[in-house]
Amino acid sequence: MTCRHYKSNTKEGVDKMNPMDFVKREPYKLYINGAYVNSESGELQDCINPATNEIFARAYYGDVEDAEKAVKAARIAFDKGPWGKMSAKERSKILLKAVRIMEERGDEFATLEALECGYHYGVARYYCVPMAIDSFEYFAGKAREIEGKVIPSDYGTLNYVTWNPVGVVAEILPWNGPYLMGCQKINAILAAGNTCVIKPPSWGVLTLLQLASVYEEAGLPEGVFNVITGSGNSVGAYLTKHPDVDMVAMTGGTSTGREVILNSADRVKDIALELGGKSPNIFFEDIDIKTAVKWAVWGFTNHSGQICVSGTRILVQKTIYEEFLREMKLFIAKKIIPGDTFDPSSNLDPVISKEHANSVWNYIEKGKQEGARIICGGEKFEKGVLKKGNFIPVTVFADVTPNMTIYQEEIFGPVACVIPFDTEEEAIELANNTVYGLAGAVFTKDIKRGIRVADGIKSGQIYINNYFSKGMIESPGTGWKESGIGVAGIKKYMISKTVFVETIDNTVPPL
Ligand code: NDP
């Protein structure tokens, strides 16, 4: 297999490369206590390219015996290893050393993410890799500026608050961006001084397994970082219940989040959940329709809609509704090109697996049955690479109403619902009319209205006249309602302690 390789984000200066040059022929191994190891069972899993449905690599498939070893290693490394004694500056230096290693291996990580998770290679190489590297640098800096506070006290004591690592963190990740998402979360975990067991998604294990070698070369002590593949129902649930795991952080679907809450309840564990979404993208009549349509389409087709904050409910003011739909149809027909993820001319990725493609098709059928009007898409690709891979045409439903399944449920594919509204109040009401509260956007030339609508939408991040977060590390979002629990950033993985110091002699116990 050969492909053209972007030298930049344009088509100029393309090079030749063979993605398989970056793939190991032998099975990828789990990483426990500072060493790559086979799984206890010796079982292997196939790594399948979603663009072709061909197996391109294999990895050891972990289970609870492997998870047990990993938790033990992480526990000992936290309680007794050198990691706990290192200063923030020493931890920071390890992360900075890892930056240089990751920079050298950018092609490999981008290739693995493209091959396994269906990311467009150009996006993986020139967005995900630099953003991932930035997360090493950012959290290396953050490690050194974790500040507590001193609280004024009337009682003759000096009260101060410190921030401390939580301990052993189990980080459970989804398949829609395990490399970038993983780096952002793991670097925060490490910068805070924790140890961790990473559970990659079953559909995307390779970059996280390879990440271990980056940390190893950078000098991370053994046991601090462990990666166990395996199913969510066994390895994920085992980690969630394990008494030696202090915190479970899971990014994934809302129903998985509920299981994590239930499974962690016995031990009253710290949990942080980043869950699903069904975000509204609102367009008022004063916008430039042609530009607005680009934002609307980008908002739900980027990575084929497999982004938690995708703007999949497009609310359009009635006065421009039909024109907006016509422009959307034209724009999609002209500009959206499904194709191999290593082809620079394509811009619509496959969805992760045949199973997930079936789930998306079920929603499309449901939309048709429930009476929504199809504007474009909705029919399967019948030939060539598009049939072989998990490609789904961009599908737009109009006249969608809140009682329809496609309005309420997360589809996680390139499928959008378009809904008309009359007034600002109605737009806000419609926007809030799901169980989710992850993101949302509003497009209007009237900035006061933009801010009013942003205030009215119940979600953790809102974009005004743009879509997708800019500065994901500096300004991370949190999920409201059923989209999540917990704060983001380094403090997500830290716990506070308040210390009361006696400063005068005349406060005695009242005994
Ligand atoms: P899932 O919820 O299916 O899986 C997420 C992770 O949890 C996987 O590693 C999975 O393992 C594991 N898991 C599954 N069951 C359990 C369990 N009982 N206990 C512990 N872990 C378990 O999500 P997807 O991988 O399908 O990812 C897509 C979802 O993620 C979407 O809903 C999307 O909105 C959400 N997401 C949210 C983000 C946010 O920031 N809010 C960001 C990105 C995605 P396995 O793969 O083996 O099943």
Side-chain angles (χ1 to χ4, degrees), residues 388-410:
K388 203 170 163 215
N390 308 316
F391 290 95
I392 296 183
V394 172
T395 300
V396 177
F397 284 104
D399 311 342
V400 179
T401 51
N403 59 331
M404 292 183 190
T405 312
I406 56 169
Y407 181 103
Q408 294 293 342
E409 295 186 14
E410 185 181 42

Side-chain angles (χ1 to χ4, degrees), residues 172-176 181 199-203 230-233 236-237 240 250-254 256 259-260 263 274-277 308 410 412 438 483:
I172 303 174
L173 290 159
W175 44 255
N176 66 326
M181 217 185 299
K199 197 326 245 156
S202 290
W203 292 108
S231 93
N233 286 333
T240 308
M250 197 281 292
T251 303
T254 295
T256 312
E259 286 182 45
V260 169
N263 285 336
E274 296 179 35
L275 307 175
C308 51
E410 185 181 42
F412 229 50
L438 196 56
S483 289

Side-chain angles (χ1 to χ4, degrees), residues 293-481:
V293 157
K294 289 184 192 172
W295 281 110
V297 174
W298 169 240
F300 78 95
T301 61
N302 185 6
H303 196 35
S304 261
Q306 300 166 112
I307 297 182
C308 51
V309 294
S310 287
T312 50
R313 287 183 301 135
I314 299 170
L315 277 51
V316 182
Q317 202 154 22
K318 266 187 192 149
T319 40
I320 57 165
Y321 183 65
E322 289 301 336
E323 190 184 349
F324 197 97
L325 289 170
R326 271 195 306 277
E327 287 294 336
M328 252 182 118
K329 184 175 178 170
L330 281 175
F331 181 76
I332 289 166
K334 226 160 111 181
K335 294 285 183 185
I336 301 293
I337 306 158
D340 191 88
T341 44
F342 287 87
D343 178 353
S345 62
S346 76
N347 58 19
L348 186 73
D349 299 338
V351 300
I352 188 76
S353 63
K354 280 187 179 167
E355 289 84 342
H356 185 57
N358 286 339
S359 155
V360 176
W361 281 113
N362 287 340
Y363 278 113
I364 292 174
E365 285 312 311
K366 193 93 186 157
K368 290 179 188 170
Q369 284 160 18
E370 288 181 338
R373 171 168 51 125
I374 284 252
I375 298 299
C376 61
E379 298 300 329
K380 289 188 179 173
F381 293 116
E382 288 303 346
K383 45 183 189 214
V385 69
L386 299 183
K387 184 170 186 227
K388 203 170 163 215
N390 308 316
F391 290 95
I392 296 183
V394 172
T395 300
V396 177
F397 284 104
D399 311 342
V400 179
T401 51
N403 59 331
M404 292 183 190
T405 312
I406 56 169
Y407 181 103
Q408 294 293 342
E409 295 186 14
E410 185 181 42
I411 299 173
F412 229 50
V415 181
C417 307
V418 189
I419 303 118
F421 69 87
D422 263 324
T423 62
E424 187 178 316
E425 293 69 33
E426 193 192 352
I428 293 172
E429 203 181 310
L430 285 165
N432 288 331
N433 194 356
T434 74
V435 296
Y436 295 110
L438 196 56
V442 49
F443 286 79
T444 175
K445 284 191 180 139
D446 177 352
I447 193 64
K448 288 185 188 145
R449 170 161 63 189
I451 293 171
R452 275 197 309 273
V453 173
D455 280 349
I457 298 176
K458 293 179 181 150
S459 70
Q461 52 184 293
I462 308 281
Y463 322 111
I464 300 182
N465 294 332
N466 65 87
Y467 210 90
F468 294 117
S469 28
K470 318 288 177 298
M472 238 195 314
I473 312 186
E474 298 87 345
S475 353
T478 49
W480 289 26
K481 295 155 77 179

